[in-house]
């Protein structure tokens, strides 16, 4: 509940910033601020996908593990974020006591995820939900179907919570983008 309130507050700030956009220069500055705020912060989005890197990489960041102690060493910026989620659903696994979350991606997200998996074969990627690494599988093949499975050995309740969080953010993001499009349509000089 706290993370949802925090995210709603951030969304309100973003919407206010969009209302203040008067030119493309303002918009680019706002986008740059968004990128800087995400750098090295796993909690900048409800779902972020990071690629593993070495600890001596000067642009590495450590992401906390949801399961407890330790960290995942990742590239500074997420490769994929929650803005490319189409839908998140709970799915059964081979173990009846466990569940996973299937994340269907938008067309753009599917292309990005395909490129990620093509380039990262043999490397691990971290699925970060609300600031914690919930799964870090090794990529063994290219993903071509626009589907990302988050399987961290979750109970059905844990998987449902993650899916609910991702779907709630997707709805908020859609409202944000719709507001952005309306603001840009009202700008003079289009």
């Amino acid at each position: 509940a706290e993370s949802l309130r925090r995210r709603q507050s951030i969304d309100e700030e973003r919407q206010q910033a969009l209302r203040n956009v008067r030119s493309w220069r303002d918009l680019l500055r706002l986008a740059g601020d968004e990128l800087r705020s995400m750098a090295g912060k796993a909690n900048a989005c409800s779902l972020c996908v990071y690629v593993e890197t070495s600890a001596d990489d000067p642009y590495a960041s450590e992401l906390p593990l949801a399961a407890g102690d330790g960290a995942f060493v990742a590239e500074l910026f997420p490769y994929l974020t929650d803005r490319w989620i189409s839908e998140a659903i709970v799915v059964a696994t081979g173990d009846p006591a466990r569940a996973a979350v299937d994340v269907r991606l938008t067309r753009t997200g599917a292309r990005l995820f395909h490129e990620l998996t093509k380039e990262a074969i043999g490397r691990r990627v971290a699925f970060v939900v609300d600031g914690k690494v919930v799964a870090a599988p090794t990529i063994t093949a290219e993903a071509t179907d626009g589907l990302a499975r988050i399987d961290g050995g979750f109970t059905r309740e844990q998987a449902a919570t993650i899916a609910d969080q991702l779907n709630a953010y997707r709805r908020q993001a859609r409202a944000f983008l719709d507001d952005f499009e309306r603001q840009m349509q009202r700008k003079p000089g289009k």
Side-chain angles (χ1 to χ4, degrees):
E2 177 62 31
S3 67
L4 182 59
R5 279 194 294 278
R6 186 180 76 239
R7 196 169 309 114
Q8 287 171 337
S9 173
I10 290 169
D11 286 341
E12 288 169 9
E13 290 173 21
R14 286 178 180 158
Q15 288 176 3
Q16 182 59 44
L18 277 175
R19 285 188 207 83
N20 294 332
V21 170
R22 301 286 180 244
S23 68
W24 284 107
R25 181 173 289 154
D26 291 343
L27 184 59
L28 289 173
R29 191 174 310 119
L30 181 62
D33 290 345
E34 285 281 316
L35 281 175
R36 278 189 293 284
S37 75
M38 289 179 69
K41 294 182 182 174
N43 61 355
C45 49
S46 62
L47 170 70
C48 292
V49 179
Y50 289 86
V51 178
E52 185 175 43
T53 191
S54 66
D56 60 345
D57 181 339
Y59 299 106
S61 65
E62 289 190 352
L63 307 174
L65 300 176
D69 294 338
F72 183 92
V73 179
E75 293 177 354
L76 185 61
F77 290 104
Y79 198 90
L80 193 69
T81 67
D82 43 25
R83 54 186 72 169
W84 292 292
I85 293 174
S86 177
E87 176 185 35
I89 59 170
V90 176
V91 294
T93 64
D95 180 350
R98 298 290 175 203
V101 178
D102 274 357
V103 179
R104 183 157 314 284
L105 302 167
T106 64
R107 259 187 255 150
T108 302
R111 276 196 311 271
L112 288 169
F113 195 59
H114 175 250
E115 288 300 314
L116 165 67
T117 57
K118 184 167 76 173
E119 297 295 321
I121 289 178
R123 293 172 67 191
R124 291 185 335 151
V125 296
F127 288 93
V128 178
V129 177
D130 278 343
K132 304 275 192 218
V133 176
V134 296
T138 299
I139 300 298
T140 58
E142 293 178 35
T144 58
D145 60 359
L147 192 66
R149 175 162 287 181
I150 305 173
D151 189 354
F154 308 119
T155 65
R156 192 146 192 71
E157 293 78 26
Q158 291 168 324
T161 298
I162 290 170
D164 289 346
Q165 289 170 325
L166 297 179
N167 286 323
Y169 185 83
R170 179 182 50 85
R171 287 188 295 274
Q172 291 173 354
R174 180 76 268 156
F176 176 76
L177 291 173
D178 290 345
D179 186 49
F180 173 75
E181 288 173 10
R182 281 192 298 279
Q183 293 293 328
M184 293 314 298
Q185 288 171 355
R186 286 188 233 154
K187 299 295 174 201
K190 267 200 71 176

